[in-house]
């Protein structure tokens, strides 16, 4: 992992734009990350700017995505171990079947 802060990484990768803080944008960032592989709570916060990953995962589940939760130990940026969720996307919802949940 890079020594740059998540904000600095994002700015470098997205033409200086800060990430959209809306719940919808956070759900989309998390879903994109989950398509690439498992994501822990700390990774979602640190790398994808998803501040409340459990809520976003629940909302993705409500939209028909099958996401399982495993419990793992992950280290914070300060090096402290914590028991956190690791989310794994097993089945993605079909876009035409996703209920609209504006929050």
């Amino acid at each position: 992992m890079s020594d740059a802060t998540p904000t600095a990484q994002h700015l470098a990768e997205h033409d200086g734009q800060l990430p959209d803080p809306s719940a919808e944008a956070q759900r989309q960032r998390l879903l994109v990350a989950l398509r690439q592989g498992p994501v822990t709570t700390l990774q979602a916060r640190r790398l994808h700017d998803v501040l409340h990953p459990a809520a976003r995962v629940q909302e993705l589940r409500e939209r028909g995505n099958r996401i399982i939760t495993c419990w793992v130990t992950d280290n914070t940026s300060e090096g402290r171990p914590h028991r956190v969720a690791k989310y794994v996307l097993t089945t993605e919802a079909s876009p035409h079947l996703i209920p609209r949940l504006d929050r």
Side-chain angles (χ1 to χ4, degrees):
M1 185 177 324
S2 167
D3 287 58
T5 64
T7 301
Q9 286 176 333
H10 183 87
L11 291 172
E13 296 169 3
H14 296 92
D15 298 323
Q17 300 296 312
L18 289 172
D20 181 348
S22 71
E24 181 60 34
Q26 290 183 47
R27 282 189 293 273
Q28 288 305 311
R29 288 194 298 272
L30 184 55
L31 186 57
V32 167
L34 287 167
R35 286 176 183 147
Q36 297 174 3
V39 178
T40 69
T41 299
L42 296 177
Q43 290 169 333
R45 289 180 182 151
R46 185 172 51 230
L47 302 176
H48 307 292
D49 201 39
V50 176
L51 298 185
H52 191 358
R56 303 296 82 86
V57 166
Q58 183 59 38
E59 293 160 358
L60 289 170
R61 287 175 175 148
E62 289 169 0
R63 286 167 167 72
N65 297 286
R66 294 205 40 184
I67 301 170
I68 60 171
T69 302
C70 306
W71 293 99
V72 298
T73 300
D74 197 5
N75 291 326
T76 65
S77 55
E78 292 80 18
R80 294 184 182 99
H82 285 271
R83 183 175 180 261
V84 298
K86 177 164 79 172
Y87 301 107
V88 181
L89 178 67
T90 60
T91 307
E92 189 169 348
S94 181
H96 67 281
L97 298 177
I98 300 172
R100 185 77 180 152
L101 300 175
D102 294 331
R103 295 185 187 175

